[in-house]
Amino acid sequence: MKVRTSYMLSHDIDWFAEIACMKMHFASNGSIIPITMEVQELRSMQRKVAEMPEVFLEDELIINESYLTFVVNRQREIYNNYLRSKIINDDQTRSLLQEREYVFDREWYLSSFKSFAKKGFISCDWDNELQQYIWVARPKSHEELQIALPPLTDNFICKNVELFRAIGLAKIVIWCLKNNSK
């Protein structure tokens, strides 16, 4: 059975592809994934990746700090707007909530992306506000991984131009092409 659209839109699916000889991890965050595969194939791919060893250390990774800052600030704004929207009758509670600064758990957010980057993937997250994938973590160097991934080839792109644009992969592909060490 193919992965259904309703399932894609309600789950954060980890999917994988190869772009310009670079191994990519994408966290869908409830967006449409551009690869058509059977549910069993997707689960098998996820299992294979989960079993892969880490080949990079923490200090061999690059984190997209500008995007992370954007995410932290956006989360803080959402939290503050939530607080303003609540009617709080208790003065003590209101005071505590107003004094409390929103704390975004940076390491919790990064943990999954770092895990994939340590395995050699360029790890990307779908941003619902920006409507595109953004790379979050990647290894400093490119290493050939011994795993077969579905390629996002020119043929795929030509056949699926509207979907490709709609899911915001164009910028990622251009970045991969420019930064491919081969």
Side-chain angles (χ1 to χ4, degrees):
M1 172 173 44
K2 299 274 187 221
V3 180
R4 295 183 323 273
T5 302
S6 61
Y7 182 84
M8 287 186 238
L9 295 175
S10 62
H11 289 79
D12 188 10
I13 300 170
D14 290 316
W15 62 278
F16 307 88
E18 184 172 319
I19 303 173
C21 298
M22 298 176 125
K23 306 295 187 187
M24 307 293 295
H25 158 256
F26 298 95
S28 73
N29 197 13
S31 67
I32 299 291
I33 60 175
I35 54 175
T36 55
M37 62 173 38
E38 300 290 326
V39 172
Q40 293 83 356
E41 290 176 290
L42 178 62
R43 288 189 180 137
S44 174
M45 178 72 63
Q46 291 167 336
R47 197 170 19 263
K48 286 178 188 174
V49 170
E51 293 169 357
M52 290 174 63
E54 292 182 349
V55 293
F56 293 96
L57 301 173
E58 183 101 13
D59 64 350
E60 297 175 304
L61 303 180
I62 298 173
I63 304 301
N64 187 342
E65 292 295 341
S66 63
Y67 180 66
L68 190 58
T69 300
F70 171 77
V71 169
V72 168
N73 289 337
R74 183 174 56 198
Q75 292 300 323
R76 183 177 290 122
E77 182 181 336
I78 290 168
Y79 174 78
N80 289 332
N81 288 339
Y82 171 78
L83 286 182
R84 282 193 289 275
S85 72
K86 296 295 172 192
I87 298 172
I88 302 168
N89 295 323
D90 177 0
D91 286 338
Q92 185 177 11
T93 303
R94 184 184 308 116
S95 177
L96 286 172
L97 289 174
Q98 288 172 343
E99 289 175 14
R100 182 186 184 279
E101 182 178 335
Y102 174 78
V103 178
F104 179 77
D105 192 340
R106 170 191 165 95
E107 288 309 310
W108 177 84
Y109 173 77
L110 286 175
S111 63
S112 173
F113 300 103
K114 282 182 179 180
S115 175
F116 289 111
K118 286 178 181 178
K119 293 178 182 201
F121 290 91
I122 298 169
S123 190
C124 306
D125 195 12
W126 173 258
D127 188 291
N128 284 312
E129 185 177 319
L130 300 175
Q131 291 292 293
Q132 66 184 26
Y133 281 101
I134 306 287
W135 75 270
V136 177
R138 65 182 178 87
K140 289 180 182 176
S141 64
H142 177 69
E143 185 163 311
E144 192 61 35
L145 302 178
Q146 300 304 312
I147 186 167
L149 299 174
L152 288 181
T153 62
D154 291 339
N155 188 35
F156 171 88
I157 294 166
C158 292
K159 287 182 180 177
N160 299 282
V161 172
E162 291 309 311
L163 174 62
F164 192 76
R165 286 186 185 139
I167 63 169
L169 277 174
K171 289 181 182 178
I172 292 287
V173 171
I174 291 167
W175 183 87
C176 286
L177 293 170
K178 286 181 179 177
N179 290 285
N180 187 351
S181 61
K182 289 189 175 187

